[in-house]
């Protein structure tokens, strides 16, 4: 087990500086253009693939960093560059985490490489969980998966929404209901391979922020996938469903055993729990970017014969901004270290990191706009875009309200549904 440390190794610093250089030289110059176009920035993704950032190898190296800091460090630097473009680069990772969290070794080895492709033929992947009537309330999911035993196939029907890369992805990971009587415990995840008949893109959303990232509905109309596309396999699913049915029969209520407290028992929530500290790191990157713009502006902008940073009202805002950013990073790093070292989130530390970092990004970017005054409200300065982008962090992969609910239920020793 790696000891928790706030000091990056020389190798980690080298990777951080490399990512920072890519963010500064490639992502930032393209940010305003792709925000206006509201299209997937394929040239930037392809450039990321060429240098090795958009690749299975790179994310595997960061994911298996024994300190746990590889992924949050990478997310912070890329999102420091621009949130919309960075999400287009890392969006495939959520689907990959879905496979890592729920799949067999064979499924991991088969499907994750197909999610990325290679530098000469870049591919994308999408994780499809939310539905028009089931966002935070995953138990209300309606997309059904029915097993056709004669053909050893699963038949999927339903509509997913808010799917990053939805409809344009090479591989889709879809969470569906296999036993509606069990609520969220009756869910499973499925791989939908490339060019599978019946899967199509629905509405593409025009968004307030992160506009370079493709977000759309995914329609599943009698989509048939082989039995091998059930993540984890049918034997494991049947055993899990049998346990859930037995518990329901016994009227399983009340405080669960200590080993189950705060535990996650369904496919969508397992994916989100694994990815929340990474989302926190994204928020830290955006907040840090806005803070740096505001700091430089306050040092160079003069009013009444002196830089505005000499005014206590501005200086105190910057002090609070920097303090909150550093605190958010520490919560993210702690949760990431705990996750990679198998430390249970007994106080929902993953949700804590996402909650605090997300709220920090919204507040810091708003303060940056205020410090820049009228200039901050225009698209001539990047803080306007950063402020719009930051709004997503308190919404996707669990709203701030849901994070508070998860934290509260964990502290009370109640199961997370």
């Amino acid at each position: 087990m790696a000891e928790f440390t706030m000091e990056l190794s020389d190798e980690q610093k080298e990777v951080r500086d490399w990512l920072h250089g890519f963010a500064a030289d490639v992502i930032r110059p393209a940010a305003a253009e792709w925000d206006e176009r509201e299209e997937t920035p394929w040239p930037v993704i392809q450039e990321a693939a060429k240098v090795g950032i958009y690749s299975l190898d790179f994310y595997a190296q960061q994911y298996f960093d024994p300190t746990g800091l590889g992924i949050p460090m990478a997310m912070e630097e890329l999102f420091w560059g621009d949130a919309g473009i960075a999400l287009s680069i890392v969006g495939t990772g959520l689907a990959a985490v879905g496979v890592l969290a729920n799949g067999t070794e064979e499924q991991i080895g088969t499907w994750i490489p197909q999610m990325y492709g290679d530098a000469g033929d870049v591919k994308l992947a999408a994780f499809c969980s939310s539905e028009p009537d089931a966002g935070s309330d995953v138990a209300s999911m309606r997309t059904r998966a029915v097993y056709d035993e004669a053909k050893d196939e699963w038949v999927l029907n339903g509509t997913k929404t808010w799917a990053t890369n939805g409809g344009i992805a090479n591989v889709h990971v879809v969470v569906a209901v296999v036993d509606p009587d069990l609520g969220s415990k009756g869910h499973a995840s499925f791989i939908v391979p490339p060019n599978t008949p019946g899967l199509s893109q629905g509405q593409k959303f025009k968004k307030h922020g992160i506009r370079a990232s493709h977000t759309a509905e995914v329609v599943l109309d009698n989509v048939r996938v082989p039995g091998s596309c059930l993540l984890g396999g049918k034997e494991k699913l049947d055993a899990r469903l049998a346990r859930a049915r037995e518990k329901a029969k016994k009227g399983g209520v009340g405080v669960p055993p200590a080993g189950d407290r705060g535990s996650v028992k369904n496919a969508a929530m397992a994916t989100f729990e694994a990815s929340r500290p990474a989302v926190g790191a994204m928020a830290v990157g955006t907040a840090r970017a806005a803070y740096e713009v505001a700091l430089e502006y306050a040092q160079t902008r003069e009013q009444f014969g002196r830089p505005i940073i000499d005014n206590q009202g501005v200086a105190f805002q910057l002090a609070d901004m920097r303090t909150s950013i550093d605190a958010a990073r520490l919560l993210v790093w702690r949760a990431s270290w705990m996750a990679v070292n198998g430390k249970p989130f007994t106080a929902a530390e993953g949700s804590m990191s996402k909650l605090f970092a997300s709220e920090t990004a919204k507040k810091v970017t708003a303060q940056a706009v205020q410090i820049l005054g009228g200039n901050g409200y225009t698209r001539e300065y990047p803080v306007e875009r950063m402020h719009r982008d930051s709004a997503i962090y308190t919404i996707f992969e669990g709203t701030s309200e849901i994070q508070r609910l998860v934290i509260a239920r964990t502290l009370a020793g109640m199961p997370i549904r």
Side-chain angles (χ1 to χ4, degrees), residues 213-248:
S213 174
H214 176 96
T215 310
E217 291 181 331
V218 173
V219 179
L220 304 149
D221 183 12
N222 287 321
V223 171
R224 286 182 167 268
V225 299
S228 60
C229 287
L230 166 64
L231 289 179
K234 195 165 187 306
E235 184 177 341
K236 184 178 177 181
L237 173 64
D238 289 343
R240 177 165 62 82
L241 295 178
R243 289 194 301 271
R245 292 180 189 123
E246 186 63 27
K247 185 175 180 181

Side-chain angles (χ1 to χ4, degrees), residues 1-329:
M1 179 187 301
E3 291 185 3
F4 179 70
T5 176
M6 294 182 289
E7 181 65 32
L8 298 177
S9 68
D10 290 341
E11 183 179 352
Q12 288 171 323
K13 289 176 183 177
E14 185 177 339
V15 172
R16 179 198 62 192
D17 294 345
W18 171 55
L19 290 169
H20 187 81
F22 183 85
D25 298 339
V26 180
I27 293 178
R28 279 204 169 179
E33 174 189 351
W34 292 99
D35 176 72
E36 291 287 347
R37 291 176 64 167
E38 299 190 53
E39 297 174 357
T40 301
W42 285 105
V44 183
I45 299 173
Q46 289 165 347
E47 189 63 28
K50 286 178 185 176
V51 300
I53 292 174
Y54 187 80
S55 71
L56 172 60
D57 287 345
F58 172 73
Y59 286 106
Q61 288 174 14
Q62 305 315 310
Y63 186 85
F64 292 111
D65 180 342
T67 70
L69 303 185
I71 289 293
M73 180 186 65
M75 295 301 106
E76 180 176 339
E77 294 305 327
L78 293 173
F79 280 74
W80 173 89
D82 176 69
I85 291 178
L87 190 58
S88 291
I89 294 172
V90 308
T92 290
L94 183 59
V97 168
V99 177
L100 286 168
N102 301 295
T104 65
E105 288 188 12
E106 182 179 357
Q107 289 169 330
I108 291 169
T110 298
W111 293 109
I112 292 184
Q114 295 187 48
M115 294 178 172
Y116 288 95
D118 54 47
D121 186 19
V122 171
K123 305 294 185 184
L124 301 175
F127 182 74
C128 307
S129 175
S130 294
E131 298 183 2
D133 296 318
S136 298
D137 182 12
V138 294
S140 296
M141 194 176 291
R142 295 181 182 176
T143 296
R144 290 294 306 274
V146 178
Y147 185 56
D148 183 342
E149 190 170 358
K151 295 185 177 180
D152 185 27
E153 291 179 339
W154 289 89
V155 185
L156 279 63
N157 282 282
T159 299
K160 294 296 183 178
T161 193
W162 308 121
T164 298
N165 299 332
I168 65 172
N170 190 53
V171 177
H172 290 75
V173 178
V174 177
V175 182
V177 179
V178 294
D179 188 334
D181 294 333
L182 294 177
S184 61
K185 290 183 172 62
H187 296 176
S189 290
F190 298 85
I191 292 285
V192 180
N195 303 314
T196 299
L199 184 147
S200 62
Q201 179 184 307
Q203 176 187 5
K204 179 187 174 183
F205 296 103
K206 296 180 74 67
K207 305 187 298 295
H208 174 64
I210 56 167
R211 300 198 301 196
S213 174
H214 176 96
T215 310
E217 291 181 331
V218 173
V219 179
L220 304 149
D221 183 12
N222 287 321
V223 171
R224 286 182 167 268
V225 299
S228 60
C229 287
L230 166 64
L231 289 179
K234 195 165 187 306
E235 184 177 341
K236 184 178 177 181
L237 173 64
D238 289 343
R240 177 165 62 82
L241 295 178
R243 289 194 301 271
R245 292 180 189 123
E246 186 63 27
K247 185 175 180 181
K249 227 183 261 185
K250 293 178 180 178
V253 295
V255 177
D260 288 340
R261 294 182 190 180
S263 58
V264 177
K265 299 299 183 185
N266 72 74
M269 290 298 288
T271 300
F272 291 142
E273 273 302 299
S275 63
R276 276 172 180 161
V279 176
M282 299 172 188
V284 171
T286 299
R288 189 184 113 212
Y291 159 77
E292 289 176 1
V293 173
L295 176 62
E296 182 180 4
Y297 187 87
Q299 290 170 327
T300 57
R301 170 71 167 175
E302 290 191 1
Q303 291 288 281
F304 306 107
R306 60 180 182 175
I308 62 173
I309 198 171
D310 287 351
N311 296 308
Q312 197 175 72
V314 173
F316 279 13
Q317 282 195 76
L318 289 163
D320 287 343
M321 292 160 74
R322 175 59 186 267
T323 300
S324 295
I325 291 166
D326 282 11
R329 183 184 297 108

